[in-house]
């Protein structure tokens, strides 16, 4: 059964697009595509965990409307966001006689969205991209806003582009097959939106703890829509991250990237590190007299109720600070953080003294 879908618009002039959020809507993607242009050829890019059943459901829906479709499967995991896999995909697109009328569809989590998006941005100087995110993180964050890219051995997400999709197709029913730990990690990014931009959304999350823990479809649809709306508003105002507004989406992320790196990539999921990182950032804001402890405690209670970690693992503080100083958000070695000044509002704070940062890592 298909629940009524909601539509969020990303207003970017001639590059504006719609995010369709439904439950059980994956089999309707072919019809949507047939309605929105003359798609003669589609290349679906997915990973080995998502191929069955989700990418195959999409392929079947395209076959139903007589769209010629090729399915390309890459290994699951962050290591696929590499130049080697991008070269394999560019080569495959040539072999499949892809031309500028071909549409590329990314069916998967943030890894597939970023990788396939990068390939779409660069192949034949840019071809159409449709994002079909299948993790909660990808549904509320990475599929929206056009950041696409790959990693280099020395730096994550360092080669990429801004390449907005033609549209985003979100089916919350696909989350049923997502490992529970990945689902929880996505919830950390959901909480982030409440802290940075929307106090009433934060309160809605507090009211929805049981429903979120039970994967309630109606609540999930509402929450994914609200996150997409917040991100759409931010991206519409600061698409290329020049005014500082889009940078607020990185709340907790300077700590999180350092935690992921020092713990060893793959040990702690990104969303788990974001949960810990938000608490560190909030404590830092307390230390600097920007908020009182109640703001941190509220975040901590919500994250813990969603079964996310909020206490730091035992990692070396000096190594964490060194990792933060290498972060691309750091200007000339000076530590900068996105910090709350109240629930629902954050600011970029420059030149934070390292001893304050060390103080919240213990
Ligand atoms: P991921 O794509 O690796 O997916 C996590 C795991 O879940 C993988 O094993 C995947 O195969 C599996 N999976 C995906 N959907 C599934 C489903 N429905 N059922 C069963 N298994 C499924 O990781 P992610 O957390 O979605 O994304 C992380 C990536 O996103 C990182 O590379 C990060 O840099 C990027 N990211 C990009 C942006 C952006 O704005 N472009 C924002 C945030 C994160
Ligand atoms: N996930 C951060 C951004 O899209 O800017």
């Amino acid at each position: 059964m298909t629940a009524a879908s909601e539509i969020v618009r990303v207003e970017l002039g001639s590059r504006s697009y719609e995010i369709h959020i439904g439950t059980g809507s994956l089999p309707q993607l072919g019809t949507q595509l047939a309605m929105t242009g003359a798609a003669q050829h589609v290349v679906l890019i997915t990973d080995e965990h998502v191929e069955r059943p989700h990418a195959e459901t999409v392929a079947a829906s395209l076959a139903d409307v007589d769209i010629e479709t090729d399915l390309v499967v890459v290994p699951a995991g962050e290591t696929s966001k590499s130049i080697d896999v991008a070269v394999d995909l560019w080569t495959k697109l040539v072999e499949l006689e892809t031309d500028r009328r071909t549409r590329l569809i990314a069916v998967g989590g943030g890894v597939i969205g970023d990788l396939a998006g990068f390939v779409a941005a660069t192949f034949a100087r840019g071809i159409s991209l449709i994002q079909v995110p299948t993790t909660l993180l990808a549904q509320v964050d990475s599929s929206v806003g056009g950041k696409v890219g790959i990693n280099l051995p020395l730096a994550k997400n360092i080669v990429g582009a801004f390449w907005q999709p033609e549209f985003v197709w979100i089916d919350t029913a696909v989350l049923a097959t997502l490992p529970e730990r990945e689902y929880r990690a996505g919830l950390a990014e959901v909480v982030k939106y409440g802290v940075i931009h929307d106090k009433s959304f934060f309160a809605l999350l507090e009211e929805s703890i049981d429903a979120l823990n039970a994967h309630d479809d109606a609540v999930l649809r509402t929450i994914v829509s609200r996150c997409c709306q917040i991100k759409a508003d931010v991206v519409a105002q600061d698409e290329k991250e020049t005014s500082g507004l889009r940078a607020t989406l990185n709340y907790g992320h300077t700590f999180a990237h350092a935690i992921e790196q020092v713990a060893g990539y793959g040990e702690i999921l990104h969303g788990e590190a974001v949960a810990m990182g938000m608490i560190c950032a909030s404590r830092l804001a307390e230390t600097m007299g920007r908020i009182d402890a109640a703001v941190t405690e509220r975040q901590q209670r919500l994250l813990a109720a969603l079964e996310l970690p909020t206490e730091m693992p035992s990692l070396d503080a000096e190594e964490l600070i060194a990792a933060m100083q290498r972060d691309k958000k750091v200007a000339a070695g000076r530590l900068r953080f996105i910090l709350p000044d109240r629930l629902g509002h954050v600011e970029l704070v420059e030149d934070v003294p390292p001893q304050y940062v060390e103080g919240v890592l213990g």
Side-chain angles (χ1 to χ4, degrees), residues 129-331:
L129 169 72
I130 291 152
Q131 293 273 12
V132 183
T134 63
T135 62
L136 183 56
L137 178 139
Q139 295 189 346
V140 299
D141 189 355
S142 60
S143 65
V144 175
K147 279 190 183 175
V148 297
I150 55 170
N151 305 323
L152 291 183
L154 283 181
K156 201 165 136 61
N157 292 332
I158 198 72
V159 178
F162 288 97
W163 191 248
Q164 301 295 344
E166 189 182 328
F167 64 91
V168 182
W169 193 259
I170 297 178
D171 178 354
T172 59
V174 304
L175 301 178
T177 60
L178 189 65
E180 187 64 15
R181 194 173 162 200
E182 296 285 354
Y183 172 73
R184 304 260 157 213
L187 287 174
E189 300 282 0
V190 170
V191 171
K192 176 193 79 178
Y193 285 111
V195 183
I196 64 174
H197 282 299
D198 193 340
K199 188 179 173 182
S200 67
F201 180 54
F202 190 93
L204 174 68
L205 294 174
E206 290 174 320
E207 287 158 23
S208 309
I209 289 168
D210 290 343
L212 286 170
N213 285 336
H215 297 238
D216 181 289
D217 271 327
V219 170
L220 262 176
R221 228 174 20 253
T222 304
I223 274 160
V224 169
S225 299
R226 287 280 288 268
C227 294
C228 287
Q229 187 64 64
I230 295 170
K231 182 144 186 191
D233 290 345
V234 168
V235 168
Q237 293 173 68
D238 184 22
E239 182 188 10
K240 303 263 168 80
E241 206 166 314
T242 46
S243 75
L245 180 64
R246 188 163 180 166
T248 61
L249 299 172
N250 291 325
Y251 173 55
H253 283 57
T254 304
F255 286 104
H257 290 153
I259 293 167
E260 286 176 88
Q261 195 189 321
V262 174
Y265 280 114
E267 285 299 309
I268 297 175
L269 294 182
H270 176 68
E272 293 167 344
V274 168
M276 299 172 198
M278 289 193 288
I279 297 305
C280 288
S282 194
R283 287 195 181 129
L284 184 57
E286 275 180 52
T287 309
M288 298 178 77
R290 301 174 62 85
I291 52 166
D292 58 39
V295 176
T296 311
E297 282 156 18
R298 225 171 132 183
Q299 293 170 70
Q300 204 159 15
R301 270 198 304 276
L302 177 56
L303 291 167
L306 297 171
E307 294 171 31
L308 281 156
T310 57
E311 292 304 328
M312 285 293 286
S314 59
L315 298 171
D316 186 80
E318 271 179 35
E319 270 188 71
L320 287 167
I321 291 184
M324 285 182 225
Q325 277 165 333
R326 289 192 299 271
D327 193 288
K328 66 177 185 294
K329 290 182 289 304
V330 169

Side-chain angles (χ1 to χ4, degrees), residues 39-43 62-63 65-70 96:
Q40 305 310 332
H41 180 214
V42 162
V43 178
L62 298 173
V65 291
D66 297 324
I67 295 175
E68 183 198 338
T69 304
D70 291 294
L96 294 173

Side-chain angles (χ1 to χ4, degrees), residues 1 8 10 26 28 92 130 176 181-182 234 276 305 338 349:
M1 248 233 319
V8 170
V10 186
L26 216 53
Q28 277 84 57
K92 191 77 191 166
I130 291 152
R181 194 173 162 200
E182 296 285 354
V234 168
M276 299 172 198
I338 307 295
V349 181

